[in-house]
């Protein structure tokens, strides 16, 4: 199957055309955030404070890279487990976030919110951090610098390979894939 | 007594930390190649090819295989005739981890306290297990243990009536619940027996065995074979996208236990199964 090439910011039209199991090559600006940065973003939203970035149409990558060696854009940069961000995700989706990238299961609440706010959940290959780093062309910290590796990052990516896990219709590749290959264990 | 220099231990642990995180073992690479050849799911096959490409790239470009360069778990087999010159064994190991993780541009993933969570910024302390053995050698084995698969690991206290089938059910349930989160294809370390405090250690130790090796006891060798087949029937597949290869290997470590107990622990290891050892 040919991968679909998409570019951020994502429109509703693009997001709604994606289906669980689709392979995607994503290009453009994405944001890197994990546990601590999510907590800050959600606190700001709850207090009605402005965010360091406008979430509308954007994609967040759950990543905690290794330190870059001199001359490198970034160190190894594969996805981390997404479920840790589940408690924060529905509110971000409500504020216009269109995609998240990580690995592993999402909660029922997130899957429902993806349908409700028209967004998708992508997986990148876990444990392929050296390979994925090649698709990241630029990396900078744009907020929450005090959080160190957990700060808010801005990445420019080219043809970042992803798989759609949960789409806007409620399909789930993790369930579909297992059903297809399961035998009586 | 044979003397081993403190500084030799520091240098060795530092080198092991960097090498383990950069060069995946030949045993794991062979198992991944076999998995890529046998996987029926096209997407699963593609993921395995990506993983192999990543592991080769990491080795050739000297990059960490995975961004989670782990907690540094160090197993020490210390000969009874070894004495350390110039400092203590534990200090040397912590210093080696500090040096390797800082100089090797590895990620620092340790917090000083589980609830207050301040990062120690040098990946110390190492998790150290020491075993006294006969002889005058010092063997150091470093296992950088990533958090994704570790978080999906489980233990339970079964009772004798649960028997072998109860153990197998618990292992299957653990792998099934972990699904994509443990970064399959996984290596499944199973500890059976001992006590509440030692069974987890058995499961972790099981991860040190080379992938593809068989258990010396035919009873457990057979159980490993059966469990591997049943796990691969779960259909989870590479990265959980569906497929035939969910685990590369099942390794069991058993130990004597109390008449009323049957402790079981399952320590999951992601496909980036990094282990390196050295003998001084």
């Amino acid at each position: 199957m040919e991968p679909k090439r998409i570019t951020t910011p994502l429109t509703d039209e693009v997001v709604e055309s994606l289906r669980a199991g689709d392979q995607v090559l994503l290009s453009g600006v994405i944001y890197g955030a994990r546990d601590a940065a999510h907590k800050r973003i959600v606190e700001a939203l709850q207090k009605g404070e402005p965010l360091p970035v406008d979430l509308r149409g954007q994609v967040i990558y759950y990543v905690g890279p290794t330190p870059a060696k001199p001359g490198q854009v970034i160190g190894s940069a594969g996805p981390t487990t997404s479920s840790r961000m589940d408690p924060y995700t529905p509110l971000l989706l409500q504020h216009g976030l269109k995609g998240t990238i990580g690995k592993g299961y999402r909660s029922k609440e997130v899957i429902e919110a993806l349908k409700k706010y028209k967004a998708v959940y992508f997986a990148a290959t876990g444990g392929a951090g050296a390979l994925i780093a090649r698709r990241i062309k630029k990396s900078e910290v744009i907020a929450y610098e005090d959080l160190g590796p957990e700060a808010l990052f801005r990445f420019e990516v080219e043809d970042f390979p992803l798989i759609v896990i949960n789409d806007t219709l409620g399909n789930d590749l993790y369930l579909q894939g297992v059903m297809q290959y399961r035998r009586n264990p | 007594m044979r003397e081993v220099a403190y500084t030799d231990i520091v240098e060795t642990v530092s080198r092991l930390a960097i090498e383990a995180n950069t060069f995946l073992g030949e045993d794991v690479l062979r198992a991944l190649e076999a998995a890529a050849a046998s996987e029926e799911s096209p997407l699963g096959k593609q993921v395995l090819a990506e993983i192999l490409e990543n592991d080769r790239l990491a080795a050739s470009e000297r990059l960490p295989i995975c961004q989670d360069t782990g907690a540094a778990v160090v197993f020490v087999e210390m000969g009874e005739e070894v004495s350390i010159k110039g400092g203590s064994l534990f200090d040397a190991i912590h210093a080696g981890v500090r040096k390797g993780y800082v100089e090797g541009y590895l990620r620092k993933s340790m917090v000083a306290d589980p609830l207050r969570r301040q990062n120690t910024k040098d990946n110390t302390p190492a998790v150290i297990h020491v075993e006294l053995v006969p002889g005058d050698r010092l063997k150091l084995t470093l296992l950088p243990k990533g958090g994704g698969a570790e978080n999906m690991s489980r233990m339970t206290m079964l009772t004798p009536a649960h028997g072998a089938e109860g153990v197998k059910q618990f292992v299957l349930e653990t792998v099934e619940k972990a699904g994509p989160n443990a970064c399959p294809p996984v290596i499944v370390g199973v500890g059976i027996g001992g006590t509440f405090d030692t069974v987890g250690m058995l499961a972790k130790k099981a991860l040190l065995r080379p992938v593809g090796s068989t258990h010396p006891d035919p009873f457990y060798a057979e159980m490993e074979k059966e469990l591997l087949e049943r796990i691969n029937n779960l259909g989870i597949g590479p990265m959980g996208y569906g497929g035939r290869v969910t685990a590369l290997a099942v390794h069991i470590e058993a130990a004597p236990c109390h008449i009323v107990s049957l402790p079981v622990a399952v320590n999951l290891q992601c496909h980036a199964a990094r282990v390196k050892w050295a003998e001084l």
Side-chain angles (χ1 to χ4, degrees), chain A residues 114-125:
Chain A
L114 292 170
K115 279 160 69 178
K116 186 171 172 188
Y117 302 115
K118 293 189 174 58
V120 284
Y121 169 50
F122 303 101
T125 304

Side-chain angles (χ1 to χ4, degrees), chain B:
Chain B
M1 295 299 271
R2 185 175 150 264
E3 282 185 342
V4 173
Y6 172 92
T7 49
D8 281 352
I9 300 172
V10 176
E11 290 305 318
T12 302
V13 169
S14 165
R15 176 173 64 79
L16 290 175
I18 295 171
E19 286 182 359
N21 274 299
T22 311
F23 307 102
L24 199 62
E26 283 299 321
D27 57 330
V28 186
L29 288 169
R30 273 197 300 273
L32 285 167
E33 279 161 9
S38 70
E39 179 55 63
E40 290 169 27
S41 145
L43 187 52
K45 236 180 168 45
Q46 187 185 316
V47 167
L48 288 166
E50 247 177 71
I51 289 170
L52 280 161
E53 192 188 346
N54 177 75
D55 297 344
R56 290 181 191 124
L57 179 73
S60 66
E61 303 277 319
R62 304 286 192 273
L63 302 166
I65 295 160
C66 177
Q67 75 289 339
D68 187 348
T69 51
V73 183
V74 180
F75 289 83
V76 183
E77 282 177 40
M78 181 153 172
E80 285 162 346
E81 294 158 47
V82 171
S83 80
I84 316 267
K85 193 184 164 192
S88 85
L89 173 68
F90 278 52
D91 285 351
I93 293 172
H94 295 312
V97 165
R98 184 175 300 123
K99 185 171 192 289
Y101 275 75
V102 171
E103 291 178 7
Y105 294 89
L106 303 177
R107 202 180 75 184
K108 288 67 175 181
S109 308
M110 291 298 280
V111 293
D113 180 274
L115 293 176
R116 287 166 289 183
R117 309 202 70 83
Q118 318 83 332
N119 195 302
T120 62
K121 298 198 164 84
D122 59 12
N123 219 49
T124 64
V127 178
I128 305 172
H129 302 294
V130 183
E131 204 181 327
L132 277 178
V133 296
D136 64 358
R137 317 302 298 179
L138 179 70
K139 185 177 176 185
L140 298 160
T141 305
L142 194 142
L143 169 85
K145 192 67 176 72
E150 192 76 356
N151 276 359
M152 304 316 288
S153 302
R154 296 199 306 163
M155 70 90 62
T156 187
M157 301 300 284
L158 298 181
T159 52
H162 288 99
E165 191 51 35
V167 172
K168 290 173 198 167
Q169 282 303 332
F170 184 72
V171 175
L172 284 168
E173 236 177 71
T174 302
V175 176
E176 186 158 35
K177 279 190 177 160
N181 291 30
C183 281
V186 290
I187 293 159
V188 184
V190 184
I192 309 172
T195 47
F196 181 83
D197 51 311
T198 58
V199 71
M201 173 68 185
L202 290 173
K204 179 137 281 134
K205 223 175 159 183
L207 299 176
L208 301 183
R209 243 177 65 197
V211 175
S213 62
T214 45
H215 200 287
D217 179 340
F219 174 82
Y220 285 112
E222 187 51 42
M223 191 164 163
E224 288 177 350
K225 204 173 138 203
E226 182 194 330
L227 269 173
L228 181 60
E229 194 182 320
R230 290 171 73 178
I231 287 169
N232 285 335
N233 282 343
L234 290 171
I236 295 165
M239 287 315 295
Y241 304 150
R244 296 280 176 234
V245 188
T246 300
L248 298 174
V250 177
H251 294 167
I252 298 173
E253 283 281 325
C257 66
H258 190 281
I259 46 172
V260 305
S261 295
L262 177 50
V264 185
V266 182
N267 197 193
L268 295 177
Q269 169 63 59
C270 63
H271 59 77
R274 296 151 287 179
V275 182
K276 282 280 179 283
W277 62 272
E279 200 172 73
L280 295 175

